[in-house]
């Protein structure tokens, strides 16, 4: 699957997009199903790739009626960094609370949660924990000292040996925050999907 960044010509105009939208939407829903990982009761990460980001931009352009090239180019500038290069993973992290009371309770308690995400490659004494980093493009807008955002963008960078182990050993996605400590073992389906991001030759 291509890891190329999106260009203006990759974003269909509104009429062309309406013709492909139903099929493309179904494809991306299935893609996100394989790339979605719930960690604990209400935090979910969706690992992005070129297709998920193109869908994001197309849908935003459709809803907000963005027709000018300059408007689309601005969206490309914002979202292209979320398409991972080989050796990297990129994810959107959602705090999935819909109740106002719970939001008021938890968003202040989860300040810094975007810096508490990790993957653990392997198990037991051989396990290696690697931290994810907050996306620098969005971090300044989303990070506050008293309350966190319900959406964050995070990245993981792995070396060749780590990628080889990622493909063969159990991999856990976790959050180690003082108010939220949970972890999830990645399914074989999700691991296989993420290897397509990490490797040059897939």
């Amino acid at each position: 699957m291509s890891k190329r960044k999106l260009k203006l010509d990759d974003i269909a105009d509104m009429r062309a997009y309406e013709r492909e939208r139903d099929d493309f939407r179904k494809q991306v829903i299935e893609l996100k199903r394989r790339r979605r990982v719930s960690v604990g009761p209400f935090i979910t990460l969706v690992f992005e790739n070129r297709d998920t980001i193109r869908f994001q931009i197309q849908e935003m352009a459709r809803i907000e009626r963005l027709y000018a090239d300059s408007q689309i180019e601005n969206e490309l500038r914002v979202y292209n960094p979320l398409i991972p290069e080989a050796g990297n993973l990129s994810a959107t992290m959602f705090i999935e609370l819909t109740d106002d009371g719970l939001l008021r309770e938890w968003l202040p308690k989860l300040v810094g949660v975007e810096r508490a995400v990790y993957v653990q490659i392997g198990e037991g004494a051989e396990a290696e924990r690697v931290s994810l980093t907050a996306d620098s493009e969005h971090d300044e807008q989303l990070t506050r000292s008293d309350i966190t955002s319900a959406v964050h963008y995070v990245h993981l960078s792995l070396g060749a040996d780590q990628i080889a182990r990622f493909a063969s050993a159990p991999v856990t996605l976790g959050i180690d925050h003082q108010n939220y400590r949970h972890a999830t073992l990645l399914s074989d389906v999700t691991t296989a999907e993420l290897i397509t991001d990490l490797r040059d030759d897939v």
Side-chain angles (χ1 to χ4, degrees):
M1 184 172 293
S2 174
K3 298 177 179 67
R4 290 185 300 108
K5 302 300 184 182
L6 292 161
K7 299 179 181 178
L8 187 61
D9 288 346
D10 295 315
I11 307 303
D13 64 34
M14 291 301 102
R15 290 179 61 199
Y17 182 57
E18 287 299 331
R19 289 192 290 270
E20 71 162 310
R21 182 172 181 261
D22 284 349
D23 287 342
F24 187 42
R25 183 172 177 273
K26 290 175 186 175
Q27 173 191 337
V28 172
I29 287 172
E30 175 58 25
L31 184 63
K32 286 188 175 185
R33 185 189 65 77
R34 301 193 300 270
R35 290 172 161 267
R36 183 184 303 272
V37 182
S38 295
V39 182
F42 54 78
I43 292 183
T44 298
L45 285 90
V46 176
F47 288 90
E48 309 287 4
N49 71 358
R50 195 171 188 269
D51 285 338
T52 66
I53 295 302
R54 180 182 169 236
F55 180 73
Q56 170 80 10
I57 294 172
Q58 293 281 184
E59 288 293 302
M60 188 169 297
R62 180 177 185 267
I63 292 167
E64 298 186 6
R65 299 188 177 279
L66 306 180
Y67 298 112
D69 286 355
S70 60
Q71 293 173 308
I72 301 299
E73 285 170 346
N74 184 60
E75 298 303 315
L76 291 169
R77 181 190 65 78
V78 171
Y79 287 101
N80 256 334
L82 301 179
I83 301 174
E85 305 283 351
N88 293 270
L89 297 175
S90 175
T92 303
M93 182 172 70
F94 300 94
I95 300 173
E96 297 185 308
L97 293 170
T98 55
D99 179 87
D100 286 344
L102 288 174
L103 284 168
R104 285 194 295 270
E105 175 189 356
W106 277 97
L107 293 186
K109 289 168 68 173
L110 290 174
V111 169
V113 70
E114 72 278 11
R115 292 179 172 79
V117 187
Y118 66 91
V119 296
Q120 178 179 294
I121 305 171
E123 295 177 314
E126 301 299 316
E128 178 183 7
R129 181 181 286 198
V130 185
S131 295
L132 280 72
T133 58
D135 183 81
S136 58
E137 184 73 22
H138 299 87
D139 192 36
E140 187 175 324
Q141 306 166 39
L142 298 175
T143 298
R144 298 187 290 274
S145 61
D146 58 340
I147 189 169
T148 194
S149 171
V151 179
H152 289 281
Y153 303 95
V154 293
H155 298 277
L156 176 71
S157 181
L158 296 178
D161 290 345
Q162 292 170 319
I163 294 170
R165 291 193 68 212
F166 192 104
S168 60
V171 178
T172 299
L173 178 65
I175 297 172
D176 190 6
H177 186 275
Q178 60 180 350
N179 294 319
Y180 196 92
R181 288 189 172 93
H182 297 277
T184 300
L185 183 67
L186 298 190
S187 70
D188 291 344
V189 169
T190 298
T191 300
E193 186 71 33
L194 299 186
I195 285 296
T196 67
D197 296 343
L198 290 167
R199 285 182 170 167
D200 275 316
D201 58 343
V202 175

